[in-house]
Amino acid sequence: MLAYTIYLSFAGALILALLPRVPASFARVLALFFALGGLAVAVAGFIAGGTQGNVAVADVAWVPAMGIHYTLAADGISRVLVLLTGLASVAGVLFSWNIDERTNEFFAFYLVLIGGVYGVFLSVDLFLLFVFYEIAIVPKYFLIAIWGSTRREYGAMKLALYSFAGSAMVLIGLLAAYATAGAHTMDLHALARYPFPVSFQMWAFPLVFTGFAILAGMWPFHTWAPTGHVAAPTAASMLLAGVVMKLGAYGCLRVAMTLFPHGLDPWGFSFFGLDSWRTVFGLLAVIGIVYGAAVALVQDDFKFVIGYSSVSHMGLVLLGLLTLSQIGIDGAVLQMFSHGVLAGLLFAIVGRVVYGRTHTRDLNKLSKLQLGKAMPFAAWLFVIAGMASMGLPGFSGFIAELQVLIGAWQVYPWFAAVAGVGIVVGVAYTWRAMQKAFFSDTPAVTADGAAVPIPRYEPITWPEAAGVILLAGTSLVVGLYPRLLLDVITPATHALLMGGRP
Amino acid sequence: MNGVNYWNLFAITLPESLLEVISLVVLIVDLGLLRKSSHATRMAVAAVLGVVGCAASIWWLSGHAGSEAAVGDFLVATPLVAAAQIGILILTGLVLLLSIKAEFSRNPGEFVAIVLLGTTGMMLVAAARDLLMIFVALELLSLSLYVLTAFAKNSAQSAEAALKYYLFGGMSAALMLFGFSYLYGLTGTTSLPGIAQMLATGATSPLLIVALVLVAAGLGFKVAAVPFHLWAPDTYQGAPAPVTALIASGSKVASFAVLVALTTALAGASSSASGTSASSMSASSMSWIVLLLWMAAGSIVLGNLAALVQTSVRRLLAYSAIAHAGYMLLGIAAHTPQSGAAVLYYALTYALTTVGAFGVIAVVERATGSDRLDAFAGLSRRSPLLAGTMLIFLLSLAGIPPLVGFWAKFNLFASVLRAGTIGVWGLGLVAVALAASAVSLYYYLQVLKRIYVIKPVQAEPLAISFVELTTLILIALAVIALGVLPGALSGWIQLG
């Protein structure tokens, strides 16, 4: 059943691409229809899957001569991330209600991207997974380059090249694994059972892990993320931060760590305290957490603040994965979901609600507009989303970060401590942005010293309200009752830990 | 070549003979019956006749594709050769369809006739298994292409391109013939199986290395591999668009087919995927493989880097062709049956995509008078369908799934890694190739950026004829279909 998420998205993309110049309003409704369809299937699949383990979805021989199958299946992790994709895609359509130029093309590229993302989360055959992974790259370029803003062509090209370079690294690893195993199969589970020599895993693991981690925004390969997020139109930033970065983290967990578990083993020597790829990547993740937060603290562009906060939050995901413990990986997956929802919400508020009305993202300019009074709804929204994002109990971020930190504490106390500092800085940059953008008390003055009256802005529209309720509500529900997701995630991570590592 | 069975020869070369006859018919019809007709009619009639000829040959070949036959040691018909020949014929047919509206020539009859002659050469090259036969067929092909390159008589660029192509080509043909003569002197035979046998038993002499280098120069020129690639950018840019398409497609397929056969003879056929390891190869096969690997590495790196700075789309595709030749040479160096088939698969699908891309370039050139990147600005609004086909072609060249270019790359590199014949070099060069293909996305996106992102200078729709548009859409659909269902060709070319 879950496979229809993919087919619906691609069908929608095809229809929108082939339609002659239709009115923008019609294209929007059509896109919303297909996104809602995807979400409905994702929710149904999530409920039907319950807490059971792997649910097979489809298995058809695709290229028998090379042992490549069209195999789709969903375990708990996949079902949670498919659900996230459904939510993000609907919210993205709602927040791009103002796209008037080439609307059908916009939503065609948008739905191709969504379909590719669904496909990655559901693929079991590695070849298929890679195909969907690459399908998700190209539309990002066009979404940003055509409908983007600040330095859009640069941001789009940088993002496309980083993604493609990462996927080339992944492809080298997959091809080498395919050739080394000798068996004609690309099935993840079949390949994972093959005992790859440790020496092989020692170079294949970092290659594939880095390839995927580029898309997850791992420091120092994160630089595409802020520029890409800033250049992208609102819906594309929401998707980029919301689901595309999750593709990378998901690939790290599902492919790199499952296929080459011994790549994480100690090297047998220590180099400045680094004794395995696990420590190396753990260190990079922690640097990402602190660095992303620290850079977000000094940004003047509102979107850059959110962009760097994404780097910081994704660092937590990677750190959680590398703990290799039940609680750490559970936390990482939950953090993927939580960040997907919250980053989407933040980008929506900054990119659509605030920028769409004030036409500036400069915090110094915003601080003179008294938005707290002019746009109380936006201010309240940002307060809620910001609190959730900085890990306030009651929202989804809290429980996820707590789990990651507990998991990290058990293995790498130092990393956990430093990551904790990063989270505190996270509070600071959210607070600073909030204060500057919404609650500044230095009104702009005209040349003769008179206060400029508070400008009037368009009230919140229904698509915006619907999108906000969807995302914020999800975060709240998950925060209040995290077992909703954790009961689904835990069996899957447990199976991974048992199957992936002795 | 004693004891040739002429009936056998006739049976095997029937499709080629058919093309020759049709090329004469085209000349007769054009010069005899249509002298008073308009240029458009003459071009259309000649092209349609040519397409019919190709179709008839394809029909005959596909009826006999399963059988194996040979004329002595010098011409063979195997399923793989048949696949290459059918591919070449399809490519020629597409080129002819796309040149129906071409206006560069006042002699459509001669144009089509020479295209068919060149195609005959390509088909013979693919089937030849004897040094003399290879040389004669290659010359038939090359001479036709030299003439075709110069066909736009009003264009100085066309003349310059033809002269460059001819001078480089003549030189490399001479080198190759010189190398062949050494090979003959060393082994006492001109047939490839015979040479393979002699090389397997005989001792290596330094002369052999000289011979191999000379042969590599000759064939390296045909496939535009570094360092014998210098003609390619100028010729791609100067020649009339359909001719460039032909040079980039059919001629490449034929040259790679013969390279596969030659490598099998020179490096020894390793029977299984895990066959001979690098250490147990003889010195002669070693040196041939090393030559191929160097050419491959050079082509991949230089082709992709040089393409980055091009502003002419034709030159860009020329450098990208050099890079693609590098990928294929990698497959040839692996010299297993699987990698040979993978190279052919790659060459055929690459050629198909390139024909499509040059078809689009031809249309844009006719409308804007230029093949520069800026001429493509806003194409998506001037002609959405044309832009869509170009999107598919370029993404396929860049190797984005689910298009066929990705499949061909995956299949090729998997076969190289599985071969094990070139050991760790295989892995290293595959890594280089994949890294370079990440670079290649940049320049393909440069074109696509003009097409989709930049606003058009003139907004009026682009004129495009029905035949051209249909042909391009068909090619694009084939590129998608072969990518989604890669097994479709496996009846002819074994995957894996």
Side-chain angles (χ1 to χ4, degrees):
Chain A
M1 176 173 64
L2 277 171
Y4 284 95
T5 52
I6 308 173
Y7 310 145
L8 268 175
S9 309
F10 285 147
L14 194 66
I15 291 172
L16 279 163
L18 292 182
L19 277 182
R21 317 208 172 281
V22 289
S25 51
F26 180 68
R28 273 176 216 141
V29 173
L30 207 59
L32 185 62
F33 171 77
F34 282 106
L36 277 173
L39 176 62
V41 175
V43 170
F46 182 79
I47 294 168
T51 54
Q52 52 178 306
N54 221 15
V55 181
V57 177
D59 186 12
V60 185
W62 189 11
V63 194
M66 298 187 73
I68 291 169
H69 286 242
Y70 181 83
T71 314
L72 300 176
D75 64 358
I77 302 173
S78 301
R79 290 201 292 273
V80 167
L81 291 174
V82 165
L83 184 65
L84 167 67
T85 311
L87 289 169
S89 66
V90 171
V93 174
L94 288 173
F95 280 107
S96 31
W97 218 250
N98 60 335
I99 300 270
D100 289 323
E101 190 197 356
R102 301 165 78 180
T103 313
N104 57 338
E105 282 178 68
F106 177 86
F107 285 114
F109 282 123
Y110 181 88
L111 285 172
V112 171
L113 174 54
I114 294 289
V117 173
Y118 277 130
V120 172
F121 289 144
L122 289 173
S123 303
V124 174
D125 191 280
L126 287 177
F127 182 83
L128 188 63
L129 186 142
F130 188 81
V131 166
F132 281 125
Y133 189 75
E134 294 239 312
I135 287 179
I137 291 180
V138 176
K140 289 187 292 186
Y141 174 81
F142 290 107
L143 282 175
I144 298 176
I146 300 179
W147 292 276
S149 51
T150 322
R151 295 176 82 199
R152 58 186 181 185
E153 286 174 16
Y154 168 78
M157 186 62 90
K158 187 167 175 181
L159 183 149
L161 291 183
Y162 267 75
S163 311
F164 207 54
S167 72
M169 291 164 76
V170 171
L171 187 57
I172 296 170
L174 292 188
L175 274 170
Y178 177 70
T180 306
H184 279 273
T185 180
M186 280 295 264
D187 184 87
L188 174 66
H189 303 306
L191 269 185
R193 275 196 295 275
Y194 181 83
F196 291 106
V198 174
S199 58
F200 175 81
Q201 300 197 17
M202 275 297 167
W203 68 261
F205 171 75
L207 190 73
V208 175
F209 191 92
T210 310
F212 279 118
I214 287 178
L215 207 57
M218 181 177 74
W219 189 88
F221 306 110
H222 67 283
T223 58
W224 64 270
T227 48
H229 286 137
V230 170
T234 303
S237 327
M238 291 170 67
L239 279 191
L240 272 181
V243 294
V244 171
M245 290 178 89
K246 309 303 172 291
L247 290 184
Y250 178 79
C252 288
L253 173 64
R254 180 71 84 195
V255 181
M257 292 169 61
T258 309
L259 214 49
F260 310 118
H262 291 292
L264 290 157
D265 290 352
W267 294 327
F269 61 91
S270 174
F271 181 76
F272 290 111
L274 301 174
D275 58 358
S276 66
W277 286 115
R278 190 178 164 196
T279 348
V280 172
F281 289 124
L283 180 66
L284 293 181
V286 171
I287 295 178
I289 296 170
V290 178
Y291 174 86
V295 177
L297 193 55
V298 295
Q299 293 303 311
D300 281 333
D301 186 318
F302 208 165
K303 252 188 165 180
F304 265 118
V305 176
I306 318 290
Y308 277 104
S309 86
S310 284
V311 173
S312 180
H313 283 130
M314 288 307 290
L316 275 170
V317 172
L318 292 175
L319 182 63
L321 294 181
L322 290 164
T323 60
L324 299 179
S325 62
Q326 180 77 48
I327 190 165
I329 298 185
D330 281 358
V333 177
L334 195 60
Q335 171 76 352
M336 284 194 222
F337 185 90
S338 160
H339 176 250
V341 171
L342 292 175
L345 187 57
L346 288 171
F347 273 118
I349 296 170
V350 174
R352 176 77 185 90
V353 180
V354 174
Y355 181 75
R357 289 172 173 76
T358 63
H359 302 289
T360 178
R361 294 191 311 248
D362 188 332
L363 285 173
N364 295 324
K365 284 187 189 151
L366 285 173
S367 73
K368 301 210 171 73
L369 294 177
Q370 297 186 301
L371 288 185
K373 289 177 190 138
M375 266 195 265
F377 57 92
W380 277 109
L381 285 179
F382 191 83
V383 170
I384 295 171
M387 294 291 175
S389 160
M390 68 174 81
L392 195 73
F395 287 98
S396 54
F398 171 70
I399 186 78
E401 290 179 5
L402 193 65
Q403 281 187 311
V404 169
L405 286 183
I406 292 174
W409 183 264
Q410 290 165 351
V411 207
Y412 300 120
W414 276 106
F415 286 179
V418 179
V421 173
I423 292 176
V424 174
V425 182
V427 175
Y429 69 70
T430 316
W431 219 271
R432 169 179 171 271
M434 200 185 318
Q435 192 270 330
K436 276 205 155 192
F438 296 106
F439 302 115
S440 167
D441 49 7
T442 51
V445 286
T446 51
D448 51 2
V452 175
I454 296 170
R456 295 193 157 275
Y457 294 108
E458 177 199 0
I460 191 164
T461 59
W462 74 263
E464 290 168 353
V468 166
I469 292 169
L470 184 70
L471 293 176
T474 309
S475 177
L476 193 62
V477 169
V478 173
L480 293 177
Y481 190 61
R483 283 188 58 192
L484 188 68
L485 297 184
L486 281 175
D487 281 352
V488 179
I489 296 170
T490 309
T493 50
H494 186 70
L496 267 185
L497 281 170
M498 288 302 113
R501 292 188 64 79
Chain B
M1 278 198 218
N2 300 326
V4 170
N5 179 340
Y6 284 96
W7 172 246
N8 208 350
L9 177 64
F10 177 70
I12 280 192
T13 55
L14 193 69
E16 286 91 344
S17 315
L18 196 68
L19 276 193
E20 298 287 290
V21 172
I22 293 284
S23 77
L24 291 178
V25 171
V26 168
L27 279 180
I28 293 168
V29 169
D30 186 54
L31 297 180
L33 307 178
L34 294 172
R35 228 177 323 169
K36 298 271 159 44
S37 313
S38 70
H39 174 81
T41 331
R42 287 171 63 194
M43 190 69 214
V45 169
V48 167
L49 271 175
V51 172
V52 169
C54 290
S57 288
I58 292 171
W59 174 77
W60 195 91
L61 270 172
S62 54
H64 297 71
S67 60
E68 301 224 4
V71 191
D73 266 345
F74 67 92
L75 273 182
V76 294
T78 64
L80 213 56
V81 169
Q85 290 184 330
I86 290 176
I88 289 167
L89 286 166
I90 292 176
L91 293 168
T92 304
L94 291 174
V95 168
L96 286 176
L97 281 177
L98 287 173
S99 53
I100 279 188
K101 286 282 160 191
E103 284 155 356
F104 56 85
S105 153
R106 285 189 287 115
N107 313 71
E110 283 98 321
F111 173 74
V112 174
I114 297 178
V115 167
L116 292 180
L117 284 177
T119 307
T120 317
M122 294 173 201
M123 292 171 70
L124 288 174
V125 169
R129 292 294 180 271
D130 180 285
L131 294 184
L132 284 179
M133 193 64 213
I134 290 174
F135 184 76
V136 170
L138 271 179
E139 282 310 284
L140 175 57
L141 162 62
S142 302
L143 287 172
S144 311
L145 290 182
Y146 302 147
V147 176
L148 287 173
T149 306
F151 232 81
K153 284 187 204 154
N154 299 332
S155 150
Q157 262 197 334
S158 168
E160 184 194 330
L163 193 64
K164 266 188 186 148
Y165 192 22
Y166 175 66
L167 289 178
F168 276 103
M171 185 71 167
S172 72
L175 291 179
M176 182 167 63
L177 195 59
F178 197 38
F180 280 176
S181 71
Y182 274 176
L183 270 182
Y184 174 67
L186 286 167
T187 59
T189 172
T190 56
S191 88
L192 292 187
I195 291 175
Q197 221 172 0
M198 294 299 294
L199 287 183
T201 54
T204 315
S205 92
L207 264 189
L208 187 63
I209 312 278
V210 177
L212 292 181
V213 171
L214 292 172
V215 172
L219 285 170
F221 166 82
K222 287 310 298 176
V223 300
V226 169
F228 313 106
H229 65 285
L230 292 165
W231 60 276
D234 291 323
T235 307
Y236 273 51
Q237 192 180 23
V243 178
T244 312
L246 199 66
I247 294 175
S249 62
S251 133
K252 285 281 168 65
V253 174
S255 311
F256 276 107
V258 75
L259 252 177
V260 171
L262 204 64
T263 304
T264 312
L266 292 178
S270 49
S271 49
S272 69
S274 57
T276 50
S277 68
S279 54
S280 70
M281 274 196 283
S282 70
S284 67
S285 64
M286 218 22 205
S287 41
W288 177 247
I289 298 302
V290 168
L291 270 175
L292 288 178
L293 286 178
W294 274 109
M295 279 158 65
S299 307
I300 291 169
V301 173
L302 190 131
N304 278 316
L305 291 186
L308 292 177
V309 293
Q310 301 305 319
T311 51
S312 146
V313 176
R314 282 168 173 243
R315 289 185 83 86
L316 189 151
L317 283 183
Y319 281 108
S320 115
I322 294 169
H324 283 278
Y327 305 147
M328 287 185 263
L329 283 175
L330 206 52
I332 289 175
H335 70 283
T336 57
Q338 288 86 355
S339 74
V343 168
L344 206 58
Y345 186 93
Y346 195 106
L348 281 172
T349 52
Y350 164 76
L352 183 71
T353 320
T354 311
V355 167
F358 275 103
V360 177
I361 291 178
V363 175
V364 171
E365 266 183 347
R366 210 165 54 227
T368 64
S370 152
D371 71 322
R372 305 189 73 76
L373 280 172
D374 299 330
F376 286 77
L379 190 64
S380 74
R381 264 152 291 176
R382 302 184 67 185
S383 175
L385 280 175
L386 194 66
T389 57
M390 194 63 166
L391 175 76
I392 288 164
F393 299 144
L394 291 182
L395 290 182
S396 175
L397 288 177
I400 304 278
L403 305 169
V404 71
F406 172 70
W407 241 107
K409 272 205 183 84
F410 183 85
N411 187 26
L412 182 71
F413 293 149
S415 74
V416 171
L417 288 182
R418 273 171 174 281
T421 40
I422 43 177
V424 71
W425 289 101
L427 181 63
L429 281 176
V430 165
V432 170
L434 285 172
S437 74
V439 172
S440 78
L441 187 68
Y442 175 81
Y443 54 81
Y444 293 122
L445 278 181
Q446 285 297 322
V447 184
L448 291 177
K449 182 173 98 182
R450 302 305 193 289
I451 294 179
Y452 277 93
V453 181
I454 309 275
K455 289 197 167 51
V457 184
Q458 305 151 295
E460 78 268 19
L462 214 65
I464 176 168
S465 74
F466 175 74
V467 180
E468 281 171 325
L469 192 59
T470 321
T471 313
L472 287 172
I473 289 176
L474 276 180
I475 298 177
L477 288 179
V479 168
I480 298 174
L482 285 173
V484 176
L485 299 168
L489 279 185
S490 63
W492 290 332
I493 304 176
Q494 288 295 318
L495 293 171

